[in-house]
Amino acid sequence: MENEWSSLKAHVQQLEKKLLKSEIRTSPEELSSLLKDDFFEFGSSGRIWTKSDCIGEEGIGEVTMILSNFDMHELSEDTVLTTYRIFDEGRGEHTLRSSIWKYANGRWQMFFHQGTKTKGPL
């Protein structure tokens, strides 16, 4: 059971990292595949985003971000909460992040995301 959890945690962490790659963030097809239709986000800017906001011609834009302190918590059999830190190299900002991922139709998709600015690393 622990091996399954470790594998799932590694898989979902890779999905989170995938969403940080410019080629994914600028691809409406890739974003559509990773985000549930009812996806929404409370951004670190204070703005609320929906899937339709993210799937525009330019996607959600290019960034250079470093993910650290990744952890995952089971909410139900098909739902997990991820928590981690991001350092945005372009802006020089640190944020705490959380995402809710749901498993349906044979794949994991992000349902909710939140970014909260913080003062530097722990």
Short mmCIF file of all heavy atoms in Angstrom, two decimals, residues 63-92:
data_model
loop_
_atom_site.label_atom_id
_atom_site.label_comp_id
_atom_site.label_asym_id
_atom_site.label_seq_id
_atom_site.Cartn_x
_atom_site.Cartn_y
_atom_site.Cartn_z
N VAL A 63 6.73 30.93 -17.46
CA VAL A 63 7.30 31.26 -16.16
C VAL A 63 8.57 30.44 -15.94
O VAL A 63 8.81 29.45 -16.63
CB VAL A 63 6.31 30.95 -15.00
CG1 VAL A 63 5.09 31.85 -15.06
CG2 VAL A 63 5.92 29.49 -15.00
N THR A 64 9.36 30.89 -14.98
CA THR A 64 10.49 30.09 -14.52
C THR A 64 10.31 29.94 -13.02
O THR A 64 10.56 30.87 -12.25
CB THR A 64 11.83 30.79 -14.84
OG1 THR A 64 11.88 31.05 -16.24
CG2 THR A 64 13.00 29.91 -14.44
N MET A 65 9.83 28.76 -12.61
CA MET A 65 9.50 28.52 -11.20
C MET A 65 10.16 27.24 -10.71
O MET A 65 10.30 26.29 -11.47
CB MET A 65 7.98 28.39 -11.03
CG MET A 65 7.22 29.65 -11.31
SD MET A 65 5.46 29.37 -11.04
CE MET A 65 4.85 31.05 -11.15
N ILE A 66 10.53 27.26 -9.45
CA ILE A 66 11.14 26.10 -8.80
C ILE A 66 10.18 25.60 -7.72
O ILE A 66 9.78 26.36 -6.84
CB ILE A 66 12.50 26.46 -8.19
CG1 ILE A 66 13.45 26.95 -9.28
CG2 ILE A 66 13.08 25.27 -7.43
CD1 ILE A 66 14.73 27.55 -8.76
N LEU A 67 9.82 24.32 -7.81
CA LEU A 67 8.92 23.69 -6.85
C LEU A 67 9.74 23.00 -5.77
O LEU A 67 10.72 22.33 -6.07
CB LEU A 67 8.04 22.68 -7.59
CG LEU A 67 6.96 21.97 -6.83
CD1 LEU A 67 5.81 21.62 -7.79
CD2 LEU A 67 7.45 20.72 -6.14
N SER A 68 9.33 23.15 -4.50
CA SER A 68 10.01 22.47 -3.40
C SER A 68 9.00 22.12 -2.31
O SER A 68 7.85 22.57 -2.34
CB SER A 68 11.12 23.35 -2.81
OG SER A 68 10.58 24.54 -2.26
N ASN A 69 9.44 21.34 -1.35
CA ASN A 69 8.65 20.96 -0.18
C ASN A 69 7.30 20.34 -0.55
O ASN A 69 6.28 20.60 0.09
CB ASN A 69 8.43 22.16 0.76
CG ASN A 69 9.72 22.68 1.33
OD1 ASN A 69 10.44 23.39 0.64
ND2 ASN A 69 10.02 22.32 2.54
N PHE A 70 7.30 19.50 -1.58
CA PHE A 70 6.06 18.88 -2.06
C PHE A 70 5.55 17.85 -1.06
O PHE A 70 6.31 17.05 -0.53
CB PHE A 70 6.30 18.20 -3.41
CG PHE A 70 5.06 17.59 -4.00
CD1 PHE A 70 4.19 18.37 -4.75
CD2 PHE A 70 4.74 16.26 -3.79
CE1 PHE A 70 3.04 17.81 -5.30
CE2 PHE A 70 3.60 15.71 -4.33
CZ PHE A 70 2.74 16.48 -5.08
N ASP A 71 4.24 17.88 -0.81
CA ASP A 71 3.61 16.86 0.00
C ASP A 71 2.21 16.61 -0.56
O ASP A 71 1.68 17.43 -1.33
CB ASP A 71 3.52 17.28 1.47
CG ASP A 71 3.41 16.09 2.41
OD1 ASP A 71 3.40 14.92 1.95
OD2 ASP A 71 3.32 16.32 3.63
N MET A 72 1.63 15.46 -0.20
CA MET A 72 0.31 15.11 -0.71
C MET A 72 -0.49 14.44 0.39
O MET A 72 0.06 13.68 1.19
CB MET A 72 0.45 14.17 -1.91
CG MET A 72 -0.84 13.94 -2.64
SD MET A 72 -0.62 13.04 -4.20
CE MET A 72 -0.47 11.36 -3.59
N HIS A 73 -1.78 14.75 0.43
CA HIS A 73 -2.68 14.25 1.46
C HIS A 73 -3.94 13.69 0.79
O HIS A 73 -4.52 14.34 -0.08
CB HIS A 73 -3.08 15.37 2.42
CG HIS A 73 -1.91 16.17 2.89
ND1 HIS A 73 -1.17 15.82 3.99
CD2 HIS A 73 -1.32 17.27 2.37
CE1 HIS A 73 -0.19 16.70 4.15
NE2 HIS A 73 -0.25 17.58 3.18
N GLU A 74 -4.34 12.50 1.23
CA GLU A 74 -5.54 11.88 0.66
C GLU A 74 -6.79 12.52 1.27
O GLU A 74 -6.92 12.63 2.48
CB GLU A 74 -5.54 10.38 0.95
CG GLU A 74 -6.70 9.66 0.32
CD GLU A 74 -6.66 8.16 0.53
OE1 GLU A 74 -6.12 7.70 1.56
OE2 GLU A 74 -7.16 7.44 -0.35
N LEU A 75 -7.71 12.95 0.40
CA LEU A 75 -8.99 13.48 0.85
C LEU A 75 -10.09 12.44 0.71
O LEU A 75 -11.03 12.41 1.49
CB LEU A 75 -9.36 14.75 0.06
CG LEU A 75 -8.38 15.91 0.19
CD1 LEU A 75 -8.82 17.08 -0.67
CD2 LEU A 75 -8.22 16.34 1.64
N SER A 76 -9.98 11.60 -0.32
CA SER A 76 -10.87 10.47 -0.53
C SER A 76 -10.17 9.50 -1.48
O SER A 76 -9.04 9.75 -1.88
CB SER A 76 -12.22 10.92 -1.11
OG SER A 76 -12.08 11.35 -2.45
N GLU A 77 -10.84 8.42 -1.87
CA GLU A 77 -10.22 7.44 -2.75
C GLU A 77 -9.76 8.04 -4.08
O GLU A 77 -8.78 7.59 -4.66
CB GLU A 77 -11.19 6.30 -3.05
CG GLU A 77 -11.24 5.25 -1.99
CD GLU A 77 -12.09 4.06 -2.43
OE1 GLU A 77 -12.29 3.86 -3.65
OE2 GLU A 77 -12.53 3.34 -1.54
N ASP A 78 -10.48 9.05 -4.56
CA ASP A 78 -10.19 9.62 -5.88
C ASP A 78 -9.83 11.10 -5.84
O ASP A 78 -9.87 11.78 -6.85
CB ASP A 78 -11.37 9.39 -6.82
CG ASP A 78 -12.64 10.09 -6.34
OD1 ASP A 78 -12.66 10.65 -5.22
OD2 ASP A 78 -13.63 10.07 -7.09
N THR A 79 -9.46 11.60 -4.65
CA THR A 79 -9.15 13.03 -4.51
C THR A 79 -7.96 13.21 -3.57
O THR A 79 -7.94 12.64 -2.48
CB THR A 79 -10.37 13.79 -3.96
OG1 THR A 79 -11.51 13.51 -4.78
CG2 THR A 79 -10.12 15.29 -3.96
N VAL A 80 -7.00 14.02 -4.00
CA VAL A 80 -5.84 14.33 -3.16
C VAL A 80 -5.59 15.83 -3.12
O VAL A 80 -5.96 16.57 -4.04
CB VAL A 80 -4.55 13.61 -3.64
CG1 VAL A 80 -4.69 12.11 -3.52
CG2 VAL A 80 -4.17 14.03 -5.05
N LEU A 81 -4.98 16.26 -2.04
CA LEU A 81 -4.56 17.65 -1.85
C LEU A 81 -3.04 17.68 -1.90
O LEU A 81 -2.38 16.90 -1.20
CB LEU A 81 -5.02 18.16 -0.49
CG LEU A 81 -4.43 19.48 -0.01
CD1 LEU A 81 -4.97 20.65 -0.84
CD2 LEU A 81 -4.71 19.69 1.47
N THR A 82 -2.48 18.54 -2.75
CA THR A 82 -1.03 18.72 -2.76
C THR A 82 -0.70 20.07 -2.14
O THR A 82 -1.47 21.04 -2.26
CB THR A 82 -0.44 18.67 -4.18
OG1 THR A 82 -0.99 19.73 -4.97
CG2 THR A 82 -0.73 17.34 -4.84
N THR A 83 0.43 20.13 -1.45
CA THR A 83 0.94 21.38 -0.89
C THR A 83 2.42 21.47 -1.21
O THR A 83 3.12 20.46 -1.22
CB THR A 83 0.73 21.44 0.64
OG1 THR A 83 1.37 20.33 1.26
CG2 THR A 83 -0.76 21.45 0.99
N TYR A 84 2.87 22.68 -1.50
CA TYR A 84 4.28 22.87 -1.84
C TYR A 84 4.60 24.36 -1.86
O TYR A 84 3.73 25.21 -1.67
CB TYR A 84 4.61 22.22 -3.19
CG TYR A 84 3.72 22.63 -4.34
CD1 TYR A 84 4.10 23.64 -5.22
CD2 TYR A 84 2.50 22.00 -4.56
CE1 TYR A 84 3.28 24.00 -6.28
CE2 TYR A 84 1.69 22.35 -5.62
CZ TYR A 84 2.08 23.36 -6.48
OH TYR A 84 1.27 23.73 -7.52
N ARG A 85 5.87 24.65 -2.09
CA ARG A 85 6.36 26.02 -2.21
C ARG A 85 6.83 26.25 -3.64
O ARG A 85 7.31 25.32 -4.28
CB ARG A 85 7.52 26.28 -1.24
CG ARG A 85 7.14 26.13 0.21
CD ARG A 85 8.31 26.43 1.11
NE ARG A 85 8.67 27.82 1.07
CZ ARG A 85 8.15 28.77 1.85
NH1 ARG A 85 7.23 28.47 2.72
NH2 ARG A 85 8.55 30.02 1.75
N ILE A 86 6.71 27.47 -4.08
CA ILE A 86 7.21 27.87 -5.40
C ILE A 86 8.10 29.09 -5.22
O ILE A 86 7.76 30.02 -4.48
CB ILE A 86 6.05 28.22 -6.36
CG1 ILE A 86 5.32 26.97 -6.82
CG2 ILE A 86 6.52 29.05 -7.55
CD1 ILE A 86 6.07 26.12 -7.83
N PHE A 87 9.23 29.08 -5.92
CA PHE A 87 10.01 30.30 -6.06
C PHE A 87 9.92 30.71 -7.53
O PHE A 87 10.31 29.96 -8.42
CB PHE A 87 11.48 30.11 -5.67
CG PHE A 87 12.29 31.35 -5.90
CD1 PHE A 87 12.02 32.53 -5.23
CD2 PHE A 87 13.31 31.35 -6.84
CE1 PHE A 87 12.75 33.69 -5.47
CE2 PHE A 87 14.06 32.50 -7.09
CZ PHE A 87 13.78 33.66 -6.40
N ASP A 88 9.34 31.88 -7.77
CA ASP A 88 9.21 32.43 -9.12
C ASP A 88 10.46 33.25 -9.39
O ASP A 88 10.63 34.35 -8.87
CB ASP A 88 7.95 33.30 -9.20
CG ASP A 88 7.68 33.84 -10.59
OD1 ASP A 88 8.64 34.06 -11.36
OD2 ASP A 88 6.50 34.08 -10.91
N GLU A 89 11.35 32.69 -10.20
CA GLU A 89 12.63 33.35 -10.48
C GLU A 89 12.45 34.68 -11.19
O GLU A 89 13.21 35.61 -10.97
CB GLU A 89 13.53 32.42 -11.30
CG GLU A 89 14.01 31.21 -10.52
CD GLU A 89 14.94 30.33 -11.32
OE1 GLU A 89 14.83 30.27 -12.56
OE2 GLU A 89 15.80 29.68 -10.69
N GLY A 90 11.47 34.76 -12.08
CA GLY A 90 11.24 35.99 -12.83
C GLY A 90 10.80 37.15 -11.97
O GLY A 90 11.19 38.29 -12.18
N ARG A 91 9.98 36.86 -10.98
CA ARG A 91 9.45 37.91 -10.09
C ARG A 91 10.21 38.01 -8.78
O ARG A 91 9.99 38.94 -8.01
CB ARG A 91 7.98 37.64 -9.80
CG ARG A 91 7.10 37.77 -11.00
CD ARG A 91 5.67 37.56 -10.61
NE ARG A 91 4.81 37.77 -11.77
CZ ARG A 91 3.60 37.30 -11.87
NH1 ARG A 91 3.08 36.60 -10.88
NH2 ARG A 91 2.88 37.53 -12.94
N GLY A 92 11.02 36.99 -8.50
CA GLY A 92 11.73 36.97 -7.22
C GLY A 92 10.77 36.77 -6.04
O GLY A 92 11.03 37.26 -4.95
#
